Each structure stands twice: as structure tokens, then as C-alpha cells.
Amino acid sequence: MNMEEGSFPSDGEVQQSAVASDGKQRGGWITFPFIIATIAGLTLASGGWMFNFIVFMIEEFNVKGIDAGQIWNVVNGCTAMFPVLGAIVADSFLGNFSVILISSVFSLLGLILLILCSTIDSLRPPPCDPNGPTSCIAPSTLQLSILYLAITLATIGVGGTRFTLGTMGADQFDNRKHQWSFFNWSIFASYTSVVISTTAIIYVEDSVSWGWGFGIGVVANVVGLVVFVVGSRFYRHLKPKGSPFADLARVVVAALRKRNVAVSSKSEDYYCRSGGERANAVVATVPSGTFKFLNRAALKTEGDIKLDGSIAKVWRLCTLQQVEDLKTLIRLSPLWSTGILLSIPLAVQTSLATLQAITMDRHLGPHFKIPPGSMLVFLPVSTCLTIIFVDRFFFPMWQKVTGRFPPPLQRIGIGHMLCALSMAVSAVVESNRLKEAHNIGANSIVPMSALWLIPQLALAGMGEAFHFPGNISLFYQVLN
């Protein structure tokens, strides 16, 4: 974390807090320990079941490895998409605090159901007998229904808190440097918690019992939830602004309805919002030259404005800022779509690495065997170490040589290259593993060390250290 880019403020740089209706100041650095502790607790709770879910399905529910991997990919996809829904609900209807609170409860309920599935014999099929005459018994419909309900609740919990907590934390600050300091620390806290969950909690699940492992997750979830609620009196609560999609739709409709109106080059011909924005917000007053067709949505015509200056017909006239917001989203859509492609190799790495580790030699010495789910720890460890290296050495060196800080797009590009390289290494390792597997036959441990998986996971983590903060930096700069 770069202390020059933003660290805890000194006495002369105390973050100005918002004043609530009760006269108390809200926001600022006093909220930091509560939100960071919540991030750490909820990440510990989710990491304990997510990163060992494939092994849980195979060992406890007699699911084939390939089927378990496919189910996990669905879960992983949902945890990537649900934050979008959580953000929409938070921004449009309930606010960040309510979404985080409700999602944390969902996560807790899901973990409790997972404990029941792992400790009550009737909620899972009998274990396979490798020496028995019969094959493994598949789980019943009721058993799978309870398991899927648990996963659904836990996944909703992850989706509703994963990025909403970061947004709420940044909302506590007006100073951009303090916001970036919070982002740095929140990413570090999140990945540190992932490291703990993929080592300590997964080791408990594999070596002690699944019930105890999930129980640790429940405790972490409860602690995170309690700390979050205790800090509520210090938070700055921003009111929901309504659905952003309605504003975007109004721009398109208004532009179409005025398609025959000539576009003006004079700024006074366009409707600009005069209030209701945050103090540090930049409000558009001049239309940009791109996508000029959309400028018609903010063009003032007869009957569009009331006597008090407000909009008479919201589906015929929009603010210039709403028009520029839609243009910004259109310009960002190519980058956003490449981000989707960037998440595909990460999903493949995390699911395939666990399946590979199950079939490989995981011994470290004669007495210790690495749990297959713990192999994923090398990804967040690599990310944390790379973030520290980049922040303390790479970026200052870049700035000294070029005279400027590396822009977000260059950081994202470096991340793309590292992710592509990690997939190339993964292909080589998997090719060699398959050759060894064909030589010894099915259902046997491949005489190949699972440590060969480290390079591909480390490269994937290094790529994420570049592109993830880079994407956050770019989107937050453009959209705020």
C-alpha cells in the first residue's frame, strides 16, 4: 500500500465527515476498522466453503470430478454476476448498508445448512466403499435440494457483499487519496483472508471434519456481521438514487423522440442539472462531441421545462449529465467485455487446479499431504506479494523513468498478458499430467508433484494484481 498515494491522515489532514440529521458526524477513518473487519470476516466465511467445494462434492456427495467441476463453475459464475444485482439493488432501492446486512444473513444461513449437510448422515449419501462390490450411491433428490439451497443462500451472501462493502467504504471519504488508500487496504485484507481460508480452514475440513471447518466459517460470518452492525452509528448512509437503467432508457427515448431536431453547438441550449449532486461531483455543462445523436435528449425545446425550471416530461428531456453518463458506459463497454474474457481463464485455473491436485502427488515430506483445495492459496499469495512489489518498487521506478504514474489501461494490459501466459503454462503442465495419467491408467495418483501447479497459479495471481486494481481505478475515475 502506497503511503504517498493515501494512508491514514495526519491530524492536519483529518477526513471531513458528513453531518447527519442528529448532529453527529458520519464517515471518515473511524469507519475503517469496522468495514475492514467485516470484509475479513465475510471473506473468511466464504473462502472456507468456496475453495474446497469441489472436494466436498466428491468426498461427501459422491459426485464425479467432472460434474463437481461443472457445478463449481456455475457457482463461481453466480458469485461473479450476483454482485451486479447487489449493486443495482443497493443503488436503486435499499442502499449499501441494507444490502450488506441482508446478504450477510443469507451467507450465515447457507453456512448453517452446509454444517447440517456435513454432520447429519441422512442429508448426504453413504460414503463410497472402494473395496465393496457396489458402486457409489448417488445423492437423493432431497439431499441435493438441501445442498443446492445451502449453496444458493451462501452464493447470494457472497454476491451481495463482495463489492458492495468496497463501495460503501469508499463512500465514507470525500478525499480521493483516502478513497484509494481504503481500496488498497480492502483488497489486501480480502486476499489475506483468502490465504487463511485456503490453508487453515481447508486443512481443518480435510484433516478434522467438514463440520468443524464450516463451523469456523459460521463464527467468522457472525463476527463480521456483528462488527458491521456495531459500526452502523458511524457510517455515512447515502440514499438510493433510483434505478440507473431508467435514466439510461430515458436518454435513448428522448433522443429518438427528438431525432428531427437539429443539434445545437451552444451549451445554453442544453438542460443541465443545477443541484442535488455531491460536493465533489463533476457535472457536465457542455455536450461532448462523441455520439452526438444522444445530445438531442438534453436539448431544450418548447414545453420541456416547467415555470420553476424543472423537467416537465422526463421521457422527452434529460439532463446533460444523464446523456454523458450513457456515453461513458458506451465507451467503456469494450473494456468491460474484455474483462469478462479475462475472468474465464481465472475460473478455469481455480476449478481445474483442484481437480488436477486430486490426481497428483501432494506430499511434502513423508508425513504431510497438501489438501487439494489448498493449492489455490498460491493465487492470492501471488496477488498480495505482487501488489506490494508493484506499489513499493515497480510504480515508483516507472514514475522515475517516464515522469508519470502508469495509467490504468497499461496496468490492465500487463494483467492480460500475464493471464495469457498463465494459461500457456497451464496447458503445458496439463499435457504432461495427461501423458502420465495415460501411462498408469485411471483412478491412480499420477507420479507428478502437485507443486508443478504453482507457476500457473502464481502467474494468474500476478495478472490479477495488475488488472483488478487497474480496472477499479479506471472505472472509479470515469464514473465518479
Side-chain angles (χ1 to χ4, degrees):
M1 280 59 67
N2 193 337
M3 294 303 175
E4 295 179 359
E5 287 298 319
S7 57
F8 291 106
S10 62
D11 293 338
E13 300 175 321
V14 176
Q15 166 69 35
Q16 183 178 3
S17 302
V19 179
S21 58
D22 57 4
K24 295 182 179 179
Q25 288 188 334
R26 302 293 175 93
W29 283 103
I30 194 173
T31 64
F32 176 81
F34 296 100
I35 296 179
I36 288 296
T38 304
I39 291 174
L42 296 181
T43 304
L44 275 175
S46 61
W49 71 267
M50 283 186 61
F51 294 106
N52 214 20
F53 177 68
I54 292 178
V55 179
F56 179 68
M57 292 286 291
I58 294 173
E59 292 186 355
E60 297 297 314
F61 279 79
N62 303 338
V63 178
K64 294 181 180 180
I66 187 64
D67 294 332
Q70 291 177 346
I71 295 173
W72 190 89
N73 284 333
V74 173
V75 172
N76 194 34
C78 290
T79 58
M81 292 302 299
F82 282 179
V84 178
L85 299 177
I88 293 173
V89 173
D91 291 340
S92 305
F93 307 107
L94 300 180
N96 288 327
F97 180 85
S98 297
V99 168
I100 294 169
L101 181 63
I102 295 171
S103 300
S104 301
V105 174
F106 274 120
S107 174
L108 180 61
L109 293 175
L111 283 169
I112 292 174
L113 281 180
L114 284 175
I115 291 179
L116 297 179
C117 290
S118 61
T119 55
I120 300 176
D121 294 338
S122 60
L123 295 183
R124 65 184 190 279
C128 298
D129 185 3
N131 300 319
T134 59
S135 59
C136 296
I137 299 176
S140 65
T141 302
L142 177 61
Q143 291 169 342
L144 284 178
S145 299
I146 296 175
L147 176 64
Y148 290 156
L149 176 61
I151 297 169
T152 301
L153 292 173
T155 303
I156 292 174
V158 174
T161 59
R162 171 174 285 182
F163 298 120
T164 313
L165 272 167
T167 302
M168 181 175 175
D171 288 341
Q172 307 305 311
F173 305 95
D174 291 325
N175 188 307
R176 186 59 59 89
K177 291 174 66 177
H178 297 164
Q179 289 176 345
W180 286 119
S181 178
F182 170 79
F183 278 133
N184 283 339
W185 283 106
S186 64
I187 292 174
F188 186 82
S190 177
Y191 278 86
T192 302
S193 299
V194 170
V195 171
I196 296 173
S197 62
T198 51
T199 52
I201 296 180
I202 288 181
Y203 179 80
V204 172
E205 292 170 349
D206 280 28
S207 302
V208 183
S209 73
W210 289 97
W212 277 104
F214 293 144
I216 295 174
V218 168
V219 173
N221 194 311
V222 170
V223 171
L225 178 58
V226 170
V227 171
F228 180 71
V229 173
V230 169
S232 61
R233 61 194 181 100
F234 300 111
Y235 302 145
R236 174 190 297 172
H237 298 275
L238 302 184
K239 295 181 179 180
K241 301 177 182 179
S243 175
F245 297 102
D247 289 343
L248 301 180
R250 282 197 287 266
V251 172
V252 176
V253 172
L256 289 174
R257 295 180 68 175
K258 296 181 179 179
R259 59 187 178 276
N260 296 323
V261 179
V263 177
S264 174
S265 59
K266 301 178 180 179
S267 60
E268 58 267 21
D269 292 335
Y270 294 92
Y271 184 80
C272 302
R273 181 177 298 183
S274 58
E277 304 291 340
R278 290 185 63 173
N280 61 339
V282 178
V283 180
T285 56
V286 179
S288 61
T290 58
F291 307 111
K292 289 184 178 180
F293 172 80
L294 296 175
N295 291 345
R296 291 180 171 87
L299 195 62
K300 293 183 288 187
T301 59
E302 186 177 354
D304 287 344
I305 302 177
K306 298 179 181 178
L307 295 177
D308 60 359
S310 61
I311 297 176
K313 299 177 181 179
V314 295
W315 289 97
R316 184 172 176 82
L317 180 66
C318 301
T319 67
L320 190 59
Q321 184 60 48
Q322 290 172 329
V323 174
E324 294 303 317
D325 287 343
L326 178 57
K327 291 182 180 181
T328 299
L329 288 178
I330 295 174
R331 288 192 292 266
L332 287 176
S333 58
L335 182 63
W336 178 79
S337 61
T338 58
I340 296 177
L341 297 177
L342 194 62
S343 65
I344 294 176
L346 288 174
V348 172
Q349 293 279 17
T350 50
S351 60
L352 182 60
T354 301
L355 294 174
Q356 288 173 313
I358 292 174
T359 65
M360 300 172 74
D361 180 14
R362 292 177 278 113
H363 284 91
L364 284 181
H367 303 295
F368 182 75
K369 191 176 183 180
I370 303 175
S374 294
M375 291 301 303
L376 298 178
V377 70
F378 295 103
L379 198 155
V381 166
S382 174
T383 302
C384 289
L385 293 178
T386 305
I387 286 176
I388 295 174
F389 170 79
V390 165
D391 196 71
R392 304 306 298 173
F393 299 101
F394 182 76
F395 283 169
M397 182 180 65
W398 183 300
Q399 198 167 13
K400 184 178 295 185
V401 173
T402 63
R404 62 190 180 95
F405 197 75
L409 279 176
Q410 292 186 358
R411 285 178 268 171
I412 296 171
I414 295 173
H416 275 269
M417 290 189 295
L418 289 171
C419 285
L421 182 60
S422 73
M423 288 303 297
V425 173
S426 178
V428 173
V429 173
E430 176 63 5
S431 177
N432 291 328
R433 190 193 70 84
L434 288 176
K435 289 180 181 179
E436 295 289 344
H438 289 318
N439 292 332
I440 65 173
N443 300 323
S444 299
I445 298 299
V446 176
M448 180 178 178
S449 175
L451 298 181
W452 282 105
L453 301 175
I454 295 178
Q456 65 194 52
L457 295 172
L459 285 169
M462 292 168 62
E464 190 160 359
F466 278 94
H467 72 75
F468 186 40
N471 273 299
I472 293 178
S473 175
L474 180 66
F475 290 136
Y476 205 85
Q477 282 179 13
V478 174
L479 298 176
N480 285 276

